[in-house]
Amino acid sequence: ACKVLIGGEERDSDSIDDLCNNAEVEKNEARFTKCQDKCLSRSCCFEEQQAYSCYHMEEEWCNEYEACEVVGLEARNIVTTTTTTTSTTAAGGQKAPNTGLENKPTPHFTDFEAAMEAACGGDSLKTLEGIEQCYNKCQAHLCCVPADALEADFDCSDTYPEECNSYYVCENLVGQYDLWKPPSTEFDPYAIKILVDEACTFPSGGASATEQQVAKCHQICEARMCCFAHPTLGSSCVDVLGEKECEDYSACKVLIGGEERDSDSIDDLCNNAEVEKNEARFTKCQDKCLSRSCCFEEQQAYSCYHMEEEWCNEYEACEVVGLEARNIVTTTTTTTSTTA
């Protein structure tokens, strides 16, 4: 019966080929509008930017709507490419024939996007180390990807649209699995906490946790990862959900390093004298700094400094390993020339 929300049985009543018959559409404005509306029920097939298009994901489904070309909508694959032209000179000074292989398109993927995909991709999220790496990159942007209706009040995607678009892959961290439905606490106020503790208590603190154990814990915890964001961050949902709700999920912290996560002071760990004379100390300092990696990004869309300046400035000591937290401001200069 829920199908009534998306048009009911009428949704599938008209064949796209019949509705978008070229002759009928061209001479009948009402038919043009009906055809266009039908086509836009698969609007992602016609997007002109790869990030918004679903053609590469669902080519067969999109191709079913080829008839939409009559209203100016063409389903096609969008590939962002970088083209390199190579000229090869054969013996005797003659150019070698162009086979077309020299200009083979290469997909464009920035270093930042590649790093985000690597940290928050499906394979990475199968391990505790991978989940922690993804969390470190996403923690200041969890407000971009509220996991359920209870977290809607801390959604910041309208406030920071460009930044949230850059961190879209963080959705994997909080939506990798089907949303877990917690038990009722009407008769047992500890019912949720008991199940979370059971799922996320690993032998040896997680060192020998299996992929299945990690997945079970992650599924239960993913919608409440925002509970562990630093309390000064806009991505902390403690105020929205309440301390009791987040306390029920406290065992989930094992997914992002456990209690050891907060054990070292950044100023002590990145003490200039110690870091300069000890390679192991340098590495530990650098790793600690990269747990707030967005503070050090050099492009505004990737940086969180302007969102969370106070939080980023707590890591000023990271300058000893070449990481400087600073505001990135993109300016546009307009020059006006006036002739007398």
Side-chain angles (χ1 to χ4, degrees), residues 17-35:
D17 294 315
D18 292 340
L19 194 59
C20 294
N21 178 285
N22 192 66
E24 294 295 327
V25 166
E26 288 183 348
K27 66 182 181 183
N28 187 319
E29 185 175 348
R31 190 63 168 266
F32 181 100
T33 301
K34 287 194 69 175
C35 168

Side-chain angles (χ1 to χ4, degrees), residues 52-305:
Y52 307 145
S53 172
C54 61
Y55 187 93
H56 58 294
M57 300 164 57
E58 305 293 350
E59 184 173 347
E60 183 179 348
W61 182 68
C62 287
N63 283 340
E64 291 176 3
Y65 271 40
E66 285 181 339
C68 294
E69 291 182 16
V70 71
V71 292
L73 296 171
E74 182 183 355
R76 62 190 186 281
N77 201 10
I78 309 297
V79 180
T80 304
T81 62
T82 300
T83 303
T84 302
T85 303
T86 304
S87 177
T88 306
T89 304
Q94 298 296 316
K95 280 190 176 181
N98 186 348
T99 63
L101 295 177
E102 297 86 349
N103 298 326
K104 187 175 181 179
T106 304
H108 176 68
F109 217 40
T110 67
D111 290 342
F112 173 82
E113 290 168 337
M116 289 298 299
E117 289 285 350
C120 299
D123 288 340
S124 179
L125 295 178
K126 293 176 181 177
T127 67
L128 291 176
E129 182 182 7
I131 292 172
E132 184 176 6
Q133 287 178 354
C134 180
Y135 180 85
N136 287 344
K137 289 185 175 296
C138 292
Q139 59 181 318
H141 293 84
L142 291 176
C143 58
C144 295
V145 287
D148 60 25
L150 294 177
E151 296 175 8
D153 287 344
F154 90 131
D155 186 345
C156 65
S157 55
D158 288 338
T159 307
Y160 300 110
E162 185 178 11
E163 292 82 353
C164 287
N165 188 52
S166 296
Y167 282 83
Y168 71 92
V169 75
C170 295
E171 190 166 4
N172 293 346
L173 181 67
V174 301
Q176 184 75 355
Y177 304 96
D178 292 334
L179 187 65
W180 182 64
K181 185 177 180 180
S184 170
T185 55
E186 183 178 356
F187 301 108
D188 182 357
Y190 300 103
I192 294 175
K193 184 171 177 58
I194 290 170
L195 290 180
V196 173
D197 288 352
E198 287 178 354
C200 297
T201 301
F202 300 139
S204 305
S208 58
T210 66
E211 187 176 305
Q212 290 74 23
Q213 288 172 323
V214 171
K216 183 178 180 180
C217 176
H218 189 193
Q219 181 179 18
I220 286 177
C221 297
E222 60 181 359
R224 294 295 176 260
M225 297 299 282
C226 55
C227 287
F228 308 109
H230 194 278
T232 64
L233 290 179
S235 280
S236 171
C237 57
V238 176
D239 288 343
V240 173
L241 299 176
E243 291 186 7
K244 171 63 170 63
E245 173 83 3
C246 285
E247 175 59 29
D248 284 344
Y249 289 85
S250 58
C252 298
K253 198 169 183 179
V254 70
L255 295 172
I256 57 171
E259 296 306 323
E260 292 184 10
R261 182 176 180 84
D262 305 315
S263 61
D264 294 313
S265 157
I266 191 68
D267 294 315
D268 292 340
L269 194 59
C270 295
N271 178 285
N272 193 65
E274 294 294 326
V275 167
E276 288 183 348
K277 66 183 182 182
N278 187 319
E279 186 176 349
R281 189 63 169 266
F282 181 101
T283 301
K284 285 193 71 174
C285 168
Q286 186 178 56
D287 289 345
K288 181 79 171 178
C289 291
L290 291 177
S291 69
R292 299 189 183 184
S293 60
C294 64
C295 294
F296 310 110
E297 291 292 343
E298 296 182 354
Q299 292 189 43
Q300 188 172 18
Y302 306 152
S303 171
C304 60
Y305 188 92

